[in-house]
Amino acid sequence: MIATQTTIDIPGKGLVSAVLSVPDGPVEAPSTGIIIAHGAANDMHNDLIVAFAEGLADAGHATLRFNFPYKEKGKKSPDGQATLVHTWKAVYAWLKTNPQAAAHRIIAAGKSMGGRVASQMAAAGELDVAALIFLGYPLHAPGRTNQLRDDHLYNINVPMLFFEGTKDPLCNLDSLGRVLDRLPGRVTLNTIDGGNHSFKLPASSSRLPADVHRQIVDQSVGWIESLI
């Protein structure tokens, strides 16, 4: 795996940092590129995102992880929806035309907010992706299972892979199950037993974070290969 740090110009918003990770060796054609967006409270250097990106690259898929403008500027509050969408579009265009990645099809992936925005864009026809991967989908605010963020999901027809912690306060699994049953496309759910919204486990668990990351990478690789 070869990782290259770069910057991507977000028109009107400046440059954001990004890391392109590609397999160490010839890329099979047609190849799959995976764009990975971070969540509201982290950035592209988050341990899960790094492990996910590098694990997929080791398995033969080019990956691109990036920062949203607010993180690039050291701010805590996320950018507005329009800026998040604008950034996703610019990053997508960058990967699509990058000869090193040679990505003929693109999968959008994201932690929480990053994945939610990608799904909203896919539902609106603003992001042409072959599939979506959610690293903890924020289905609702904590304790508000009667206010689901699911309306747009029913307009997505590409395959979707959900990773969810069984103790995630932002995604009640019973509520998610009812949503997934109604989705029109191919959907797959993988759970992290005892994991919270960031897949962190209780102190009593014998599993290490690296074990969880490996589970997510391995299941993602198998799922992506099943699509191909």
Side-chain angles (χ1 to χ4, degrees):
M1 185 272 298
I2 302 172
T4 304
Q5 295 189 9
T6 188
T7 55
I8 298 175
D9 181 32
I10 312 302
K13 300 297 178 180
L15 299 175
V16 296
S17 300
V19 175
L20 175 66
S21 299
V22 298
D24 186 8
V27 178
E28 295 184 6
S31 63
T32 301
I34 299 99
I35 302 175
I36 308 165
H38 63 77
N42 47 57
D43 61 18
M44 71 172 185
H45 300 296
N46 173 265
D47 289 347
L48 169 63
I49 291 175
V50 172
F52 186 62
E54 294 184 349
L56 291 178
D58 282 334
H61 305 290
T63 64
L64 179 66
R65 51 190 169 98
F66 67 96
N67 279 340
F68 285 109
Y70 76 99
K71 277 297 179 181
E72 196 67 25
K73 298 173 183 177
K75 297 181 179 180
K76 293 184 178 180
S77 298
D79 299 307
Q81 180 75 3
T83 297
L84 297 175
V85 168
H86 188 52
T87 303
W88 250 113
K89 288 181 177 179
V91 171
Y92 176 97
W94 188 93
L95 183 64
K96 190 73 173 179
T97 58
N98 186 282
Q100 188 178 3
H104 295 275
R105 55 178 165 249
I106 293 178
I107 292 175
K111 178 74 187 80
S112 195
M113 177 193 76
R116 173 185 57 78
V117 174
S119 68
Q120 291 171 322
M121 295 175 67
E126 296 180 301
L127 204 61
D128 181 17
V129 294
L132 291 157
I133 300 176
F134 302 102
L135 303 175
Y137 183 79
L139 184 61
H140 53 77
R144 298 184 180 180
T145 55
N146 61 327
Q147 299 177 23
L148 302 183
R149 304 183 183 108
D150 65 330
D151 287 349
H152 67 284
L153 295 176
Y154 305 108
N155 295 320
I156 299 174
N157 292 304
V158 299
M160 292 185 280
L161 173 61
F162 291 77
F163 287 98
E164 302 295 343
T166 60
K167 300 297 183 181
D168 185 352
L170 277 69
C171 187
N172 175 274
L173 288 181
D174 289 337
S175 298
L176 178 63
R178 289 190 288 271
V179 170
L180 299 188
D181 286 342
R182 296 169 55 198
L183 296 184
R186 171 182 171 182
V187 294
T188 304
L189 172 63
N190 282 295
T191 58
I192 309 299
D193 190 33
N196 65 9
H197 190 56
S198 297
F199 308 132
K200 292 183 178 179
L201 304 178
S204 58
S205 175
S206 61
R207 298 189 72 193
L208 299 174
D211 298 326
V212 175
H213 297 165
R214 175 49 54 188
Q215 174 187 342
I216 292 172
V217 169
D218 288 347
Q219 291 178 339
S220 295
V221 169
W223 186 79
I224 291 171
E225 291 178 352
S226 75
L227 300 181
I228 299 173

